[in-house]
Amino acid sequence: IAPTGTPYTTQGYTFGCLNANDGTSCASLSVLGPSNRQYPGSPALFNNNIYGITTLARADGVSFNLFSAAMSPLFGNRVSNTVVFEGFLASGGTVTQSFTLFSSPSPLVFYTFTGFENLSSVRFRLGGFGPQFVPEAVQITDIAVSPSTTSTVPEPSSLALLGTGLVGLVPMWRRRLS
């Protein structure tokens, strides 16, 4: 187990930790290497705080899309575990998706997200976001993300108003030229 602290930034994305019981930040993110006997697979990030909510955002603040991630429970303390993801949309509102992870030691399994596009940030935790402690951690790796390519397209009425304003400036330019 290699402690990484909080925040942990890699490839332009920052992972953080919040305490579910009081909303303060915490420093409990760690990376498990493939030699760890608790699970088979590549190095994976996990939140080592029984009250910890893991957060994800782009380091530069630009919106992003979340497509998939490989996950597994860390210790296998239960037969199955539900990890809840909540994405905060850059335009306002949220999108939520839950996945059931099966007991470890199991291989990391890929899960696909639906509707996690144009996000400002994401948070996730086993069992949801309430103040209860969770005696298990989710390990996560191979997260497929990309910067959001959505751009703001002006409405036709806005373009018409802009065009009218520009046409209204033509007589002023002509007067200045004469």
Side-chain angles (χ1 to χ4, degrees):
I1 298 176
T4 60
T6 301
Y8 173 67
T9 301
T10 181
Q11 299 178 12
Y13 291 84
T14 300
F15 291 88
C17 176
L18 294 175
N19 284 306
N21 54 352
D22 62 9
T24 60
S25 64
C26 48
S28 58
L29 299 179
S30 297
V31 175
L32 288 174
S35 63
N36 187 293
R37 287 181 280 162
Q38 293 172 328
Y39 81 102
S42 62
L45 182 77
F46 78 101
N47 193 331
N48 195 27
N49 180 332
I50 61 174
Y51 292 102
I53 296 171
T54 305
T55 61
L56 171 65
R58 278 187 49 108
D60 60 8
V62 172
S63 61
F64 65 99
N65 303 321
L66 174 60
F67 301 108
S68 64
M71 296 179 279
S72 174
L74 181 59
F75 301 113
N77 291 339
R78 299 182 184 164
V79 175
S80 68
N81 298 284
T82 301
V83 60
V84 180
F85 282 79
E86 183 175 36
F88 296 91
L89 302 171
S91 59
T94 60
V95 61
T96 304
Q97 192 165 353
S98 300
F99 302 101
T100 300
L101 308 179
F102 296 96
S103 185
S104 35
S106 67
L108 295 161
V109 176
F110 276 94
Y111 296 88
T112 303
F113 293 89
T114 304
F116 278 68
E117 298 171 356
N118 198 27
L119 302 167
S120 59
S121 66
V122 172
R123 67 181 186 160
F124 60 94
R125 183 174 185 230
L126 285 168
F129 306 109
Q132 75 280 3
F133 77 92
V134 178
E136 175 64 281
V138 61
Q139 55 191 342
I140 187 166
T141 191
D142 297 330
I143 301 167
V145 291
S146 74
S148 180
T149 57
T150 60
S151 62
T152 305
V153 177
E155 297 177 18
S157 60
S158 299
L159 290 175
L161 185 60
L162 176 63
T164 304
L166 291 175
V167 169
L169 293 174
V170 170
M172 288 177 49
W173 288 329
R174 284 187 180 164
R175 278 187 229 143
R176 286 185 180 221
L177 292 174
S178 43

